[in-house]
Amino acid sequence: YILQNKTNLPELYPDGIKSFSRIVVAVPNNFTSTKIMDMLWCLQQMETFIEIRYITEAEAVLCYYIYKHHLLHPTLKTDIKRETVLVFDMGGATINATIVLMT
């Protein structure tokens, strides 16, 4: 679909279809292993990426939080390694809560 509609999706291809060689995809928390494998298979069929990785939505949110921690909490004196983080995800079909203990 993406290959056939690349002219309609210019934001995905700023420098043409070969501009990306690696991809990380956030999968919904309720995806089964079969759905994940199907998604990865579809991406492999594009023959565009040399590396395809996936993480759950909760992991993606946590990565963003860690990356932006100093901006989100400019006056916080505690180290991020000592935090307990609640990731609350209200998706279209599910509501998930993930608790991460950073030690």
Side-chain angles (χ1 to χ4, degrees):
Y1 172 84
I2 292 174
L3 286 175
Q4 292 172 351
N5 293 285
K6 66 182 177 179
T7 55
N8 298 330
L9 303 166
E11 66 276 5
L12 293 180
Y13 305 105
D15 299 320
I17 189 152
K18 295 295 182 186
S19 63
F20 303 105
S21 60
R22 291 178 171 80
I23 186 172
V24 178
V25 181
V27 297
N29 293 325
N30 65 340
F31 261 33
T32 62
S33 58
T34 303
K35 285 183 179 181
I36 292 170
M37 296 309 293
D38 287 345
M39 180 200 62
L40 295 175
W41 180 85
C42 289
L43 291 168
Q44 289 168 347
Q45 299 312 300
M46 294 176 66
E47 298 179 353
T48 300
F49 310 108
I50 60 172
E51 183 178 8
I52 302 170
R53 303 270 179 157
Y54 71 92
I55 60 177
T56 65
E57 290 173 329
E59 290 171 319
V61 170
L62 185 63
C63 288
Y64 179 81
Y65 177 76
I66 291 169
Y67 177 68
K68 294 290 188 175
H69 184 265
H70 67 285
L71 297 174
L72 297 169
H73 304 290
T75 60
L76 192 63
K77 301 290 186 232
T78 60
D79 188 0
I80 192 169
K81 294 177 184 174
R82 303 184 76 116
E83 283 191 37
T84 300
V85 179
L86 171 65
V87 178
F88 191 72
D89 175 20
M90 292 185 358
T94 60
I95 297 175
N96 301 304
T98 303
I99 297 175
V100 181
L101 303 172
M102 297 204 243
T103 59

